[in-house]
Amino acid sequence: MSVPTVAIVGRPNVGKSTLFNRIIGRRLAIVDAEPGVTRDRHFAPAEWNGRRFWLVDTGGLVPGSTDPLNRAIRSQVEQAVAESDVLLFVVDVESGVHPMDLEIAPYLRKAQRPVLLVVNKADHLPNETRQLSFYELGLGEPFPVSAAVGKNSGDLLDQVVAMLPPAPDEPEGDTIRVAVVGRPNVGKSSLVNRLLGQDRLVVADEPGTTRDAIDTAFVHRDKTIVFIDTAGLRKRSKVEEDLEFYSVLRTSRAMERADVCLLVVDAKDGMHAQDLKIANDAWDRGAAVMIAVNKWDLIEDKDTNTAVRGEREMKARAHFLEFIPFFYVSAKTGQRVSKLLDAILAVAEEREKRVPTAEVNRVLEQLVARQQPPQPVGESVRLFYATQVGTAPPRFAVIANRPESIPESYTRYLHNGFRDAWEFTGAPLTIKFRRKRGRR
C-alpha cells in the first residue's frame, strides 16, 4: 500500500516541531523558543486509527525575505508542499493573525493540496475562542490544539486521516513488488526502462498517490512484477540538499511497499555510505535485497577479478552484504540486464521459502553437535528444538532453557548454519530464542 505524506508548514516559532514530535510520539525534531531552529527537514513514519503516513517537519517560512538562509528554507518548504498529500498550516493563537500568515495563506490556496489550519498554543481548551479570528485566512475552519500538552491532538489526527487520499487498490494475485532505489543519477530510470523495453506483456499502469510515480506491472514467467515509484526516485530539484532529503523520503515510501529492493549503484563511484544505509534499511524492513552495479560498460580497466575485488570491498563494510546477490549491468547497452528479472523471481521465492520442522531440527542438531552454546556458570544452556515461525522474511524460533544466556556470537553461528543449509539468498533471516514453557 502506498503511504501518503503530510507536511507541517508555517512561519517561524509557531510550534511546528513540537507538533511534529507530538504526532510521532517521540522527541525527534529540536524544539527551542528561538525562532528558526528547524533549518533542515525531518521526516518520520506516523500512524493513527490503522492508517500510516509519513510526517515531514519544515523550517519556518519567511515570505519575501532576501536572506540566503530564509531563501533556502523557502525552497525546502516549496518542495515539501509539492511532495505532500495533506498540509498542516500551523499558526499561533497567542500572536493572532500575523502578517506572515496572511502572506503564506494565498500560496497554500494556490498549491491545490488539502490544507488543515492548525491553531497551536491553545492551552485553555475547551474554553478557547481566539482561534475564530483565523477564519480571516480563508482556509476553512481553524482547528485549535496545544501541541505542548497534547490537547485536541487526537481529534486533529482524526481530521488528518480523514483528509488522506484513499489507499489505492493493490494488484491482485501472485505479485512481486520491486522498489528500484539508489542515489540520484545512478541510472535507476534507465535500468527500469531497459527492463520494460524487453518483449514482455504489460499488465497495467496503476497510479499511486498524487505525487507518486506510476507503478508499472508486467508478467515474467507467469509472475507479475510491479516496479514501485521508479520515476519518483529521480531528480526533482537543482538544490543538492533537497535532492538528498526527498530522495531518502521517496526511497522510504517505496521500501514500505516492497517485497524486493533493487539497489542501483554507480560502477564508477562505487558504494557510498548512503547506498549502504538504503540497503540496510531495506534489510531491516524485511525486504529481499539485490544490488545492480550499473554503468559497467564505463569501466575500462576491468578483468576477470575486477568485480570480485569490488564486491569483496563492499562486503567488508557490512556483514549482511555477504547474503545479497550482485549483478554487473549496463542499462545503456543492455549488458546482463535480462538476468535481473529471473533474479528478482529467485530472491522473492527465497524470501517466501518454508522449511519443514523436521528438517530444521535435523540441521539444528548437527550444528549443536558441532559446537555447543557457551555454558555460563550455573545451569547449563540447552537448545531443545526449533521451527520456522514465519516467511517473507523467514523467521525461526529456537526453544531453549536459558535464552537470555545465549550470546550474539552463537546466534550468528546458527544463522550462518541455517544459510549454509537453505541459502535464503537475498532475504533477511531472523532467529529468536524462546524459553520452554511448562513441564518437559
Side-chain angles (χ1 to χ4, degrees):
M1 179 183 296
S2 182
V3 181
T5 301
V6 177
I8 302 174
V9 299
R11 63 182 177 83
N13 209 31
V14 292
K16 297 184 297 298
S17 295
T18 304
L19 181 63
F20 176 85
N21 290 339
R22 173 65 59 183
I23 292 176
I24 66 172
R26 65 185 192 277
R27 188 181 171 91
L28 179 61
I30 299 172
V31 177
D32 195 281
E34 181 70 23
V37 168
T38 304
R39 299 180 181 181
D40 299 320
R41 292 125 305 165
H42 303 89
F43 74 91
E47 182 174 350
W48 186 255
N49 287 343
R51 191 74 196 273
R52 291 182 299 142
F53 56 94
W54 289 101
L55 188 66
V56 180
D57 184 24
T58 64
L61 184 58
V62 182
S65 173
T66 58
D67 177 76
L69 176 59
N70 287 330
R71 286 206 311 269
I73 291 174
R74 186 163 63 248
S75 172
Q76 295 170 4
V77 173
E78 289 169 355
Q79 189 78 2
V81 170
E83 293 281 340
S84 299
D85 299 282
V86 174
L87 299 171
L88 302 185
F89 178 27
V90 182
V91 294
D92 184 348
V93 75
E94 297 288 344
S95 303
V97 179
H98 193 280
M100 287 189 196
D101 299 332
L102 291 169
E103 291 188 60
I104 296 171
Y107 163 67
L108 296 182
R109 285 197 295 270
K110 292 177 184 177
Q112 297 183 335
R113 300 281 184 270
V115 179
L116 182 57
L117 179 59
V118 182
V119 185
N120 192 26
K121 306 183 185 179
D123 298 339
H124 303 297
L125 289 171
N127 301 317
E128 187 69 74
T129 60
R130 290 176 295 173
Q131 72 273 11
L132 300 178
S133 64
F134 288 90
Y135 272 107
E136 180 183 352
L137 298 178
L139 290 171
E141 182 177 358
F143 198 97
V145 299
S146 175
V149 298
K151 288 184 179 179
N152 233 16
S153 58
D155 291 340
L156 172 67
L157 286 168
D158 288 340
Q159 291 274 353
V160 170
V161 168
M163 296 171 72
L164 295 176
D169 295 331
E170 294 291 330
E172 297 180 357
D174 193 3
T175 300
I176 301 168
R177 295 168 182 82
V178 181
V180 182
V181 296
R183 294 178 297 110
N185 294 326
V186 295
K188 297 183 295 295
S189 297
S190 299
L191 183 59
V192 173
N193 288 338
R194 172 67 69 169
L195 287 168
L196 297 179
Q198 306 293 325
D199 186 18
R200 309 294 173 196
L201 171 64
V202 176
V203 175
D205 289 331
E206 300 196 4
T209 57
T210 311
R211 269 135 319 283
D212 284 343
I214 289 175
D215 292 355
T216 306
F218 67 104
V219 170
H220 176 69
R221 299 190 187 276
D222 298 324
K223 298 281 189 180
T224 302
I225 300 176
V226 178
F227 286 106
I228 302 172
D229 291 349
T230 52
L233 298 174
R234 293 183 200 149
K235 247 183 171 179
R236 293 196 181 187
S237 166
K238 295 180 181 178
V239 182
E240 186 174 347
E241 58 186 44
D242 282 348
L243 275 178
E244 184 173 348
F245 179 82
Y246 285 104
S247 176
V248 172
L249 176 54
R250 285 192 291 270
T251 298
S252 297
R253 285 197 307 214
M255 290 193 300
E256 281 278 345
R257 306 166 55 201
D259 303 305
V260 177
C261 280
L262 177 59
L263 173 62
V264 183
V265 177
D266 190 310
K268 298 199 77 173
D269 292 344
M271 180 173 276
H272 287 230
Q274 186 180 348
D275 296 318
L276 190 59
K277 185 179 186 308
I278 291 171
N280 191 69
D281 285 349
W283 194 255
D284 288 345
R285 291 172 190 267
V289 178
M290 302 163 49
I291 295 179
V293 183
N294 191 27
K295 306 182 185 180
W296 193 242
D297 56 303
L298 300 180
I299 303 300
E300 300 174 358
D301 213 10
K302 53 178 180 271
D303 55 36
T304 54
N305 293 317
T306 302
V308 174
R309 286 195 302 270
E311 204 168 308
R312 189 186 303 122
E313 290 173 4
M314 286 188 271
K315 288 178 178 179
R317 300 174 63 184
H319 177 66
F320 73 95
L321 294 179
E322 287 282 346
F323 316 118
I324 292 175
F326 284 70
F327 299 87
Y328 296 83
V329 303
S330 170
K332 182 178 180 180
T333 66
Q335 181 184 11
R336 290 193 284 274
V337 169
S338 60
K339 293 183 178 180
L340 290 176
L341 294 173
D342 288 337
I344 287 170
L345 300 186
V347 298
E349 186 175 340
E350 291 288 288
R351 185 172 175 265
E352 298 278 355
K353 183 188 290 184
R354 183 174 286 279
V355 182
T357 298
E359 175 71 6
V360 175
N361 283 288
R362 183 187 67 81
V363 171
L364 178 66
E365 288 175 8
Q366 292 176 349
L367 293 171
V368 172
R370 189 184 309 155
Q371 181 177 326
Q372 288 279 339
Q375 303 295 320
V377 177
E379 183 183 359
S380 62
V381 174
R382 300 178 61 193
L383 307 185
F384 297 116
Y385 61 90
T387 186
Q388 186 173 357
V389 295
T391 60
R395 301 181 298 280
F396 291 85
V398 178
I399 310 304
N401 64 332
R402 298 179 65 184
E404 72 283 354
S405 299
I406 299 172
E408 179 63 29
S409 59
Y410 197 77
T411 304
R412 286 196 302 271
Y413 166 71
L414 295 182
H415 182 280
N416 292 335
F418 283 8
R419 283 198 180 273
D420 287 341
W422 308 301
E423 293 187 345
F424 297 110
T425 303
L429 182 157
T430 58
I431 298 175
K432 297 292 184 183
F433 293 94
R434 297 178 182 173
R435 186 179 300 277
K436 188 173 184 180
R437 302 292 183 184
R439 298 173 61 87
R440 289 189 58 187

